[in-house]
Amino acid sequence: MPDATTRVQDVQPDAPLQRSEALLRALIDSLPGGSAFVVDHDLRFLIAGGEALAAAGYTPANFVGRRLQDSVEPALFERFASHYRRALAGETFRDEHEHGGRHYLTFGRPLRDGAGIVTAAMAVSYDVSAQRAAEAALAAERDAVTLERESLDRLVDSLPVLITVYDPAVVEVPRAGLRFNRAFVQTLGWSEADARAIDIMEACYPDPALRAAVADHMRAADEGGAQVRWME
């Protein structure tokens, strides 16, 4: 019959493991803005938790003790299973998916024991829906600006008057932000490439005082016009 010392020695090796598991569960349960899952080689959930899990309407009981195929929609099973198998094979993974109208960014990695053997896989997911919505709004805004710019370019090219489009912020560097409409090119025979090869302000306004006055008017970017004598 084993004595008390033997019994204590028998349970001591499991104590650090139990403390580690308890700590891991506590960390996962308090994971801010995310959720985490741990699966074994059978793709059975050992741990599940985190704020995002509760926000999505789930509890750990929906996962812990159940296999992956019994816990997620069939459309997502193969995707998730592939990633978990990669982690169980010793690799890390990164994935983003949409579920229930929300976007989730997931990072996964293998969990190893003291001998370095992979015993489980862990995945941490974050709800990035707000970020993706902001990115989509920004992309839509950029598309709208691009469309507006293209429409303006077509309008400017269609007008039968000489038009120079410029950026007032870089008027001191006439080669930058410079564009001519079709009538300008056809009338003067200057292409945009030709104009960028010279100082167009000096070519158009040789008088330094007049050139300075024109530059001031351009910088002001006010509505209306200014009458000047050109290229005499």
Side-chain angles (χ1 to χ4, degrees), residues 13 17 29 39 93 112 149 210 231:
L17 177 60
D29 287 340
V39 301
F93 69 85
R112 303 175 186 274
R149 183 178 294 118
L210 178 59
M231 295 182 68

Side-chain angles (χ1 to χ4, degrees), residues 30-43:
S30 61
L31 185 65
S35 58
F37 306 88
V38 176
V39 301
D40 62 16
H41 282 274
D42 293 326
L43 299 186

Side-chain angles (χ1 to χ4, degrees), residues 2-194:
D3 59 21
T5 303
T6 302
R7 289 197 296 271
V8 170
Q9 289 175 344
D10 287 342
V11 300
Q12 278 183 337
D14 292 333
L17 177 60
Q18 292 173 351
R19 287 195 297 270
S20 297
E21 290 181 352
L23 178 59
L24 180 59
R25 291 176 188 274
L27 289 173
I28 288 177
D29 287 340
S30 61
L31 185 65
S35 58
F37 306 88
V38 176
V39 301
D40 62 16
H41 282 274
D42 293 326
L43 299 186
R44 189 181 304 278
F45 288 98
L46 303 177
I47 302 175
E51 289 182 359
L53 188 70
Y58 297 102
T59 69
N62 294 119
F63 297 92
V64 176
R66 303 179 64 188
R67 298 186 65 178
L68 178 65
Q69 65 191 51
D70 301 321
S71 306
V72 302
E73 297 175 4
L76 294 174
F77 170 70
E78 286 300 333
R79 182 182 191 136
F80 290 176
S82 174
H83 292 315
Y84 278 124
R85 290 184 183 114
R86 284 181 56 191
L88 290 167
E91 302 179 22
T92 59
F93 69 85
R94 178 184 187 277
D95 179 56
E96 184 169 340
H97 73 281
E98 185 272 337
H99 178 65
R102 310 294 295 178
H103 290 265
Y104 298 94
L105 180 61
T106 303
F107 301 90
R109 64 178 302 108
L111 296 180
R112 303 175 186 274
D113 62 14
I117 298 173
V118 176
T119 58
M122 180 177 183
V124 180
S125 297
Y126 293 95
D127 187 337
V128 294
S129 302
Q131 295 94 313
R132 295 299 176 261
E135 291 169 0
L138 180 59
E141 182 178 347
R142 288 173 178 167
D143 290 343
V145 170
T146 298
L147 180 60
E148 181 179 353
R149 183 178 294 118
E150 291 174 349
S151 299
L152 178 60
D153 286 345
R154 287 193 293 271
L155 174 62
V156 167
D157 265 341
S158 68
L159 296 176
V161 294
L162 279 64
I163 297 179
T164 302
V165 181
Y166 68 95
D167 182 350
V170 292
V171 71
E172 272 82 7
V173 188
R175 297 170 179 80
L178 185 67
R179 185 183 180 283
F180 300 150
N181 74 334
R182 186 179 294 110
F184 192 107
V185 174
Q186 292 174 345
T187 302
L188 298 181
W190 284 356
S191 69
E192 292 179 17
D194 294 334

